[in-house]
Amino acid sequence: MKRIFSLIAVGVALMLLDGQAFAHAFLDHAVPGVGTTVAGSPVELELTFTEDIVPAFSGVHVATEGGAAIAAGKAVPGPANTLHVRLAHALKPGTYVVTWHVVSVDTHHTQGSYKFTIAP
Ligand SMILES: [Cu+2]
């Protein structure tokens, strides 16, 4: 009987783990906003995710629409579901592509990208 109870306990634990598997970190919102047009260059980008992430295994890259990389600092966390990326230089008017990859605290990898535009 004791054995059956421990088997049930293992089953419940597995179900709980499985439930957490749905808690992937996706981009919740960003500054500048996804798909928005802003008047001037931001000093930094801020990306907020739906779950807490592991900064050491997460990163953000910025490029022009043509694919030229934009110099930016390492993505810095704070709070735990947010990354801040300081831009090395003010951005010229144009459309930029932000590509992110994160590992959520449940160890799942997710990635995505979005664009924002700086008005001429
Ligand atoms: Cu997950």
Side-chain angles (χ1 to χ4, degrees), residues 16-64:
L16 288 173
L17 284 174
D18 198 41
Q20 284 183 350
F22 293 102
H24 298 106
F26 288 106
L27 186 68
D28 186 67
H29 61 275
V31 182
V34 174
T36 59
T37 298
V38 293
S41 177
V43 174
E44 66 162 24
L45 310 181
E46 186 183 310
L47 289 79
T48 302
F49 295 91
T50 56
E51 303 290 328
D52 288 357
I53 56 162
V54 184
F57 301 118
S58 303
V60 177
H61 304 281
V62 190
T64 64

Short mmCIF file of all heavy atoms in Angstrom, two decimals, residues 16-64:
data_model
loop_
_atom_site.label_atom_id
_atom_site.label_comp_id
_atom_site.label_asym_id
_atom_site.label_seq_id
_atom_site.Cartn_x
_atom_site.Cartn_y
_atom_site.Cartn_z
N LEU A 16 2.63 17.91 -12.33
CA LEU A 16 2.96 19.29 -11.99
C LEU A 16 4.08 19.81 -12.88
O LEU A 16 4.03 20.90 -13.39
CB LEU A 16 3.37 19.40 -10.51
CG LEU A 16 2.20 19.24 -9.52
CD1 LEU A 16 2.73 19.20 -8.11
CD2 LEU A 16 1.19 20.36 -9.67
N LEU A 17 5.09 18.96 -13.10
CA LEU A 17 6.20 19.34 -13.98
C LEU A 17 5.69 19.59 -15.39
O LEU A 17 6.08 20.53 -16.05
CB LEU A 17 7.25 18.23 -14.00
CG LEU A 17 8.15 18.14 -12.77
CD1 LEU A 17 9.03 16.92 -12.87
CD2 LEU A 17 9.00 19.39 -12.63
N ASP A 18 4.80 18.74 -15.84
CA ASP A 18 4.23 18.85 -17.18
C ASP A 18 3.48 20.17 -17.31
O ASP A 18 3.56 20.85 -18.32
CB ASP A 18 3.31 17.67 -17.43
CG ASP A 18 3.04 17.50 -18.92
OD1 ASP A 18 4.00 17.65 -19.70
OD2 ASP A 18 1.89 17.25 -19.28
N GLY A 19 2.74 20.53 -16.28
CA GLY A 19 2.00 21.79 -16.29
C GLY A 19 2.93 22.97 -16.46
O GLY A 19 2.65 23.89 -17.22
N GLN A 20 4.07 22.92 -15.80
CA GLN A 20 5.02 24.01 -15.89
C GLN A 20 5.62 24.12 -17.28
O GLN A 20 6.09 25.17 -17.68
CB GLN A 20 6.16 23.81 -14.88
CG GLN A 20 5.73 24.16 -13.47
CD GLN A 20 6.86 24.01 -12.49
OE1 GLN A 20 7.91 23.49 -12.82
NE2 GLN A 20 6.65 24.48 -11.29
N ALA A 21 5.62 23.00 -18.02
CA ALA A 21 6.20 23.01 -19.36
C ALA A 21 5.47 23.99 -20.28
O ALA A 21 6.01 24.39 -21.29
CB ALA A 21 6.15 21.61 -19.95
N PHE A 22 4.26 24.40 -19.91
CA PHE A 22 3.52 25.35 -20.74
C PHE A 22 3.92 26.78 -20.43
O PHE A 22 3.52 27.69 -21.12
CB PHE A 22 2.01 25.15 -20.55
CG PHE A 22 1.54 23.85 -21.07
CD1 PHE A 22 1.28 22.79 -20.22
CD2 PHE A 22 1.39 23.65 -22.44
CE1 PHE A 22 0.86 21.57 -20.72
CE2 PHE A 22 0.98 22.43 -22.94
CZ PHE A 22 0.71 21.38 -22.08
N ALA A 23 4.72 26.96 -19.39
CA ALA A 23 5.08 28.30 -18.96
C ALA A 23 6.32 28.82 -19.68
O ALA A 23 7.28 29.24 -19.07
CB ALA A 23 5.29 28.32 -17.45
N HIS A 24 6.30 28.77 -20.99
CA HIS A 24 7.43 29.31 -21.74
C HIS A 24 7.43 30.82 -21.68
O HIS A 24 6.38 31.43 -21.57
CB HIS A 24 7.36 28.87 -23.20
CG HIS A 24 7.44 27.40 -23.37
ND1 HIS A 24 6.36 26.63 -23.70
CD2 HIS A 24 8.48 26.56 -23.23
CE1 HIS A 24 6.74 25.36 -23.77
NE2 HIS A 24 8.01 25.29 -23.47
N ALA A 25 8.63 31.39 -21.76
CA ALA A 25 8.74 32.85 -21.74
C ALA A 25 8.62 33.40 -23.15
O ALA A 25 9.46 33.12 -24.00
CB ALA A 25 10.07 33.26 -21.12
N PHE A 26 7.56 34.14 -23.38
CA PHE A 26 7.40 34.84 -24.65
C PHE A 26 7.43 36.32 -24.40
O PHE A 26 7.20 36.77 -23.27
CB PHE A 26 6.10 34.43 -25.34
CG PHE A 26 6.13 33.03 -25.87
CD1 PHE A 26 5.44 32.02 -25.23
CD2 PHE A 26 6.88 32.72 -27.00
CE1 PHE A 26 5.49 30.72 -25.71
CE2 PHE A 26 6.94 31.42 -27.48
CZ PHE A 26 6.24 30.42 -26.83
N LEU A 27 7.69 37.08 -25.45
CA LEU A 27 7.73 38.53 -25.29
C LEU A 27 6.33 39.02 -24.95
O LEU A 27 5.37 38.76 -25.67
CB LEU A 27 8.22 39.17 -26.59
CG LEU A 27 8.43 40.68 -26.51
CD1 LEU A 27 9.59 41.02 -25.58
CD2 LEU A 27 8.67 41.25 -27.90
N ASP A 28 6.22 39.73 -23.84
CA ASP A 28 4.94 40.30 -23.44
C ASP A 28 4.79 41.69 -24.05
O ASP A 28 3.79 42.00 -24.67
CB ASP A 28 4.84 40.35 -21.91
CG ASP A 28 3.48 40.82 -21.45
OD1 ASP A 28 2.51 40.06 -21.68
OD2 ASP A 28 3.37 41.92 -20.90
N HIS A 29 5.80 42.52 -23.85
CA HIS A 29 5.82 43.83 -24.50
C HIS A 29 7.24 44.38 -24.50
O HIS A 29 8.12 43.83 -23.82
CB HIS A 29 4.85 44.81 -23.82
CG HIS A 29 5.17 45.08 -22.39
ND1 HIS A 29 4.74 44.29 -21.37
CD2 HIS A 29 5.89 46.06 -21.82
CE1 HIS A 29 5.18 44.78 -20.22
NE2 HIS A 29 5.88 45.86 -20.46
N ALA A 30 7.43 45.42 -25.28
CA ALA A 30 8.77 46.00 -25.42
C ALA A 30 8.66 47.52 -25.51
O ALA A 30 7.61 48.06 -25.83
CB ALA A 30 9.45 45.45 -26.67
N VAL A 31 9.77 48.18 -25.21
CA VAL A 31 9.90 49.63 -25.38
C VAL A 31 11.17 49.88 -26.19
O VAL A 31 12.24 49.46 -25.74
CB VAL A 31 10.01 50.37 -24.02
CG1 VAL A 31 10.11 51.88 -24.23
CG2 VAL A 31 8.84 50.02 -23.10
N PRO A 32 11.12 50.50 -27.39
CA PRO A 32 9.91 50.92 -28.10
C PRO A 32 9.00 49.73 -28.40
O PRO A 32 9.47 48.60 -28.53
CB PRO A 32 10.46 51.51 -29.41
CG PRO A 32 11.91 51.79 -29.15
CD PRO A 32 12.34 50.78 -28.14
N GLY A 33 7.73 49.99 -28.53
CA GLY A 33 6.75 48.93 -28.70
C GLY A 33 6.89 48.16 -30.00
O GLY A 33 7.39 48.68 -31.00
N VAL A 34 6.47 46.92 -29.97
CA VAL A 34 6.50 46.05 -31.15
C VAL A 34 5.70 46.69 -32.28
O VAL A 34 4.53 47.02 -32.10
CB VAL A 34 5.90 44.66 -30.79
CG1 VAL A 34 5.79 43.78 -32.03
CG2 VAL A 34 6.74 43.99 -29.71
N GLY A 35 6.34 46.89 -33.42
CA GLY A 35 5.66 47.41 -34.59
C GLY A 35 5.35 48.91 -34.56
O GLY A 35 4.69 49.42 -35.45
N THR A 36 5.86 49.60 -33.55
CA THR A 36 5.53 51.02 -33.43
C THR A 36 6.54 51.89 -34.17
O THR A 36 7.64 51.45 -34.52
CB THR A 36 5.51 51.47 -31.95
OG1 THR A 36 6.79 51.21 -31.38
CG2 THR A 36 4.43 50.74 -31.16
N THR A 37 6.15 53.15 -34.37
CA THR A 37 7.06 54.15 -34.92
C THR A 37 7.27 55.20 -33.84
O THR A 37 6.30 55.69 -33.26
CB THR A 37 6.45 54.80 -36.18
OG1 THR A 37 6.28 53.78 -37.17
CG2 THR A 37 7.37 55.88 -36.74
N VAL A 38 8.53 55.48 -33.55
CA VAL A 38 8.84 56.45 -32.49
C VAL A 38 9.55 57.66 -33.10
O VAL A 38 10.13 57.58 -34.19
CB VAL A 38 9.69 55.82 -31.36
CG1 VAL A 38 8.88 54.77 -30.61
CG2 VAL A 38 10.97 55.20 -31.90
N ALA A 39 9.50 58.77 -32.39
CA ALA A 39 10.00 60.04 -32.93
C ALA A 39 11.52 60.11 -32.96
O ALA A 39 12.10 60.69 -33.87
CB ALA A 39 9.43 61.20 -32.13
N GLY A 40 12.19 59.55 -31.98
CA GLY A 40 13.65 59.65 -31.94
C GLY A 40 14.26 58.35 -31.45
O GLY A 40 13.55 57.43 -31.05
N SER A 41 15.59 58.29 -31.50
CA SER A 41 16.26 57.06 -31.08
C SER A 41 16.10 56.81 -29.59
O SER A 41 16.30 57.72 -28.78
CB SER A 41 17.75 57.15 -31.40
OG SER A 41 18.40 55.97 -30.93
N PRO A 42 15.75 55.60 -29.21
CA PRO A 42 15.76 55.27 -27.79
C PRO A 42 17.20 55.16 -27.30
O PRO A 42 18.12 54.96 -28.10
CB PRO A 42 15.05 53.92 -27.72
CG PRO A 42 15.27 53.32 -29.07
CD PRO A 42 15.39 54.45 -30.05
N VAL A 43 17.41 55.32 -26.02
CA VAL A 43 18.74 55.13 -25.42
C VAL A 43 18.95 53.63 -25.19
O VAL A 43 20.05 53.11 -25.32
CB VAL A 43 18.84 55.91 -24.09
CG1 VAL A 43 20.16 55.61 -23.38
CG2 VAL A 43 18.72 57.40 -24.37
N GLU A 44 17.86 52.96 -24.83
CA GLU A 44 17.94 51.52 -24.61
C GLU A 44 16.63 50.87 -25.04
O GLU A 44 15.61 51.55 -25.21
CB GLU A 44 18.21 51.20 -23.12
CG GLU A 44 17.09 51.60 -22.19
CD GLU A 44 17.17 50.91 -20.82
OE1 GLU A 44 18.26 50.50 -20.42
OE2 GLU A 44 16.11 50.78 -20.19
N LEU A 45 16.71 49.56 -25.23
CA LEU A 45 15.51 48.77 -25.51
C LEU A 45 15.16 48.03 -24.24
O LEU A 45 16.04 47.62 -23.48
CB LEU A 45 15.77 47.75 -26.62
CG LEU A 45 16.42 48.26 -27.90
CD1 LEU A 45 16.59 47.11 -28.88
CD2 LEU A 45 15.57 49.37 -28.52
N GLU A 46 13.87 47.86 -24.00
CA GLU A 46 13.43 47.11 -22.84
C GLU A 46 12.47 46.04 -23.33
O GLU A 46 11.49 46.35 -24.01
CB GLU A 46 12.74 48.07 -21.86
CG GLU A 46 12.36 47.42 -20.56
CD GLU A 46 11.61 48.39 -19.65
OE1 GLU A 46 12.09 49.52 -19.44
OE2 GLU A 46 10.53 48.01 -19.17
N LEU A 47 12.75 44.80 -22.98
CA LEU A 47 11.91 43.68 -23.38
C LEU A 47 11.38 42.99 -22.13
O LEU A 47 12.17 42.59 -21.26
CB LEU A 47 12.70 42.66 -24.21
CG LEU A 47 13.11 43.08 -25.63
CD1 LEU A 47 14.33 43.98 -25.60
CD2 LEU A 47 13.40 41.85 -26.48
N THR A 48 10.08 42.87 -22.04
CA THR A 48 9.47 42.22 -20.88
C THR A 48 8.82 40.92 -21.33
O THR A 48 8.08 40.89 -22.31
CB THR A 48 8.43 43.15 -20.22
OG1 THR A 48 9.08 44.35 -19.84
CG2 THR A 48 7.80 42.49 -18.99
N PHE A 49 9.14 39.84 -20.62
CA PHE A 49 8.68 38.51 -21.00
C PHE A 49 7.56 38.03 -20.08
O PHE A 49 7.37 38.56 -18.99
CB PHE A 49 9.86 37.54 -21.00
CG PHE A 49 10.88 37.90 -22.04
CD1 PHE A 49 11.94 38.75 -21.74
CD2 PHE A 49 10.74 37.46 -23.34
CE1 PHE A 49 12.85 39.13 -22.71
CE2 PHE A 49 11.64 37.84 -24.32
CZ PHE A 49 12.70 38.68 -24.01
N THR A 50 6.86 37.02 -20.53
CA THR A 50 5.72 36.50 -19.78
C THR A 50 6.13 35.67 -18.57
O THR A 50 5.30 35.35 -17.73
CB THR A 50 4.82 35.64 -20.69
OG1 THR A 50 5.63 34.61 -21.27
CG2 THR A 50 4.20 36.48 -21.81
N GLU A 51 7.41 35.28 -18.52
CA GLU A 51 7.92 34.48 -17.39
C GLU A 51 9.29 35.04 -17.02
O GLU A 51 9.93 35.71 -17.82
CB GLU A 51 8.13 33.02 -17.81
CG GLU A 51 6.89 32.32 -18.35
CD GLU A 51 5.86 32.07 -17.28
OE1 GLU A 51 6.26 31.84 -16.12
OE2 GLU A 51 4.67 32.09 -17.60
N ASP A 52 9.75 34.70 -15.84
CA ASP A 52 11.11 35.05 -15.46
C ASP A 52 12.08 34.27 -16.34
O ASP A 52 11.81 33.13 -16.72
CB ASP A 52 11.36 34.72 -13.99
CG ASP A 52 10.62 35.68 -13.06
OD1 ASP A 52 9.97 36.62 -13.57
OD2 ASP A 52 10.68 35.48 -11.84
N ILE A 53 13.20 34.90 -16.64
CA ILE A 53 14.17 34.28 -17.55
C ILE A 53 15.52 34.14 -16.86
O ILE A 53 15.77 34.73 -15.82
CB ILE A 53 14.31 35.10 -18.84
CG1 ILE A 53 14.69 36.55 -18.49
CG2 ILE A 53 13.01 35.09 -19.63
CD1 ILE A 53 15.25 37.29 -19.65
N VAL A 54 16.39 33.34 -17.50
CA VAL A 54 17.75 33.16 -17.00
C VAL A 54 18.65 34.05 -17.86
O VAL A 54 18.92 33.73 -19.02
CB VAL A 54 18.19 31.68 -17.11
CG1 VAL A 54 19.57 31.49 -16.51
CG2 VAL A 54 17.16 30.77 -16.44
N PRO A 55 19.12 35.18 -17.32
CA PRO A 55 19.86 36.15 -18.13
C PRO A 55 21.11 35.57 -18.79
O PRO A 55 21.44 35.91 -19.92
CB PRO A 55 20.25 37.24 -17.13
CG PRO A 55 19.26 37.11 -16.03
CD PRO A 55 18.93 35.64 -15.95
N ALA A 56 21.81 34.67 -18.10
CA ALA A 56 23.05 34.11 -18.63
C ALA A 56 22.83 33.37 -19.95
O ALA A 56 23.74 33.25 -20.77
CB ALA A 56 23.69 33.18 -17.62
N PHE A 57 21.62 32.87 -20.16
CA PHE A 57 21.32 32.10 -21.37
C PHE A 57 20.35 32.84 -22.28
O PHE A 57 19.67 32.24 -23.10
CB PHE A 57 20.76 30.72 -21.00
CG PHE A 57 21.69 29.92 -20.16
CD1 PHE A 57 21.33 29.53 -18.89
CD2 PHE A 57 22.95 29.57 -20.64
CE1 PHE A 57 22.20 28.80 -18.10
CE2 PHE A 57 23.82 28.84 -19.87
CZ PHE A 57 23.45 28.45 -18.58
N SER A 58 20.27 34.14 -22.08
CA SER A 58 19.33 34.93 -22.87
C SER A 58 20.07 36.08 -23.53
O SER A 58 21.09 36.54 -23.02
CB SER A 58 18.23 35.49 -21.95
OG SER A 58 17.58 34.43 -21.26
N GLY A 59 19.57 36.53 -24.65
CA GLY A 59 20.24 37.64 -25.32
C GLY A 59 19.34 38.34 -26.31
O GLY A 59 18.28 37.83 -26.69
N VAL A 60 19.78 39.54 -26.71
CA VAL A 60 19.02 40.37 -27.64
C VAL A 60 19.99 40.92 -28.68
O VAL A 60 21.09 41.36 -28.33
CB VAL A 60 18.34 41.53 -26.88
CG1 VAL A 60 17.61 42.46 -27.85
CG2 VAL A 60 17.38 41.00 -25.82
N HIS A 61 19.62 40.87 -29.94
CA HIS A 61 20.42 41.43 -31.02
C HIS A 61 19.58 42.45 -31.77
O HIS A 61 18.39 42.23 -31.97
CB HIS A 61 20.89 40.33 -31.97
CG HIS A 61 21.64 39.25 -31.27
ND1 HIS A 61 22.96 39.39 -30.91
CD2 HIS A 61 21.24 38.04 -30.82
CE1 HIS A 61 23.34 38.28 -30.28
NE2 HIS A 61 22.32 37.45 -30.21
N VAL A 62 20.23 43.52 -32.17
CA VAL A 62 19.54 44.57 -32.92
C VAL A 62 20.22 44.69 -34.28
O VAL A 62 21.45 44.65 -34.37
CB VAL A 62 19.61 45.93 -32.19
CG1 VAL A 62 18.69 46.94 -32.85
CG2 VAL A 62 19.25 45.76 -30.72
N ALA A 63 19.43 44.84 -35.33
CA ALA A 63 19.98 44.99 -36.67
C ALA A 63 19.09 45.94 -37.47
O ALA A 63 17.93 46.15 -37.12
CB ALA A 63 20.07 43.65 -37.38
N THR A 64 19.66 46.49 -38.55
CA THR A 64 18.83 47.26 -39.47
C THR A 64 17.94 46.28 -40.22
O THR A 64 18.19 45.06 -40.20
CB THR A 64 19.68 48.02 -40.50
OG1 THR A 64 20.36 47.04 -41.30
CG2 THR A 64 20.71 48.92 -39.81
#
